[in-house]
Amino acid sequence: MRCSCCQKELINSLTLQELFFSSSQRCYHCEQLFSKIDQAQVCPGCGRPNSTELCQDCCLWQQELGFVMRNFSLFSYNEGFRQWIETYKFMGDYRTRGAFVLELTEALQKYQEYLICPLPLSKERFEQRGFNQVRGCLDLTKRSYELLLKRSELAPQSEKSREERLQMKQPFELNVPIEKIRNQKVLLVDDVYTTGRTLFHGAELLYKSGAETVKSLTFAR
Ligand SMILES: [Zn+2]
Ligand SMILES: [Zn+2]
């Protein structure tokens, strides 16, 4: 058995109990990288740790857009997570994509009736990186997902009127016929929740397209 993160062979000293009841398949070193967020102490909107009421950011989103994103984040964005994402996403070590496959699989089970939709990368990013980092992780969970969104190809700003430029802020368009979205529950998946801006863009478009509910899941927050 290998560490799902660094792929080093795990020492054979694991007890049967550890093998069957362990919540991860990471070696001791990699285990230290990830710190699970205590879900009893999060903002009910964005999943921010150490807050049990709707946080100020979520209140602002609600005022501006009329809805709150129900986001679930697995891990704290700490130094350990930063190291992992550096190795995986920026250095392109694709082998580390399974680092938290068990936690991710378990989390997705709470969204049985949802269409799972990873946020797309721009064509340029995809070509630079050679893979979509969210799909890389999802692929190992065996849960199927749908590419409901695609990034719009942006024309140079100078050719656009002010009105058009404002509209351009929405980076997504539907990648499927609108009937596929109508009355559906959708779970958007991204790697890190920072401001939430991108996820809200995705959710806005899906709601406009008739989605019943849109929630999100990110690997870290
Ligand atoms: Zn490891
Ligand atoms: Zn919040």
Side-chain angles (χ1 to χ4, degrees), residues 84-102:
W84 171 76
I85 205 147
E86 174 80 24
T87 308
Y88 174 52
K89 181 168 156 180
F90 299 110
M91 291 161 63
D93 189 346
Y94 197 58
R95 295 171 308 168
T96 60
R97 73 192 188 282
F100 42 80
V101 57
L102 292 180

Side-chain angles (χ1 to χ4, degrees), residues 4 23-24 26 36 72-75 84 88 97-112 116 118 133-143 145 187-191 216-220:
S4 66
S23 64
S24 86
R26 291 183 288 270
K36 264 192 162 182
F72 175 91
S73 298
L74 286 168
F75 303 106
W84 171 76
Y88 174 52
R97 73 192 188 282
F100 42 80
V101 57
L102 292 180
E103 288 93 341
L104 184 57
T105 305
E106 191 192 340
L108 289 172
Q109 280 165 6
K110 294 177 207 141
Y111 301 93
Q112 285 300 346
I116 309 293
Q133 71 278 5
V134 176
R135 291 176 64 181
C137 296
L138 283 176
D139 281 339
L140 293 177
T141 67
K142 307 281 191 284
R143 177 76 185 266
Y145 55 83
L187 181 73
L188 293 171
V189 186
D190 202 5
D191 48 8
S216 65
L217 182 153
T218 69
F219 306 153

Side-chain angles (χ1 to χ4, degrees), residues 5 9 14 36 49-50 85 88 108 121 202 204:
C5 187
E9 192 69 48
L14 284 178
K36 264 192 162 182
N50 308 318
I85 205 147
Y88 174 52
L108 289 172
L121 300 177
E204 263 187 295

Side-chain angles (χ1 to χ4, degrees), residues 3-8 10 25-31:
C3 168
S4 66
C5 187
C6 70
Q7 304 300 320
K8 279 199 201 104
L10 292 176
Q25 295 168 309
R26 291 183 288 270
C27 70
Y28 181 76
H29 169 76
C30 295
E31 187 61 24

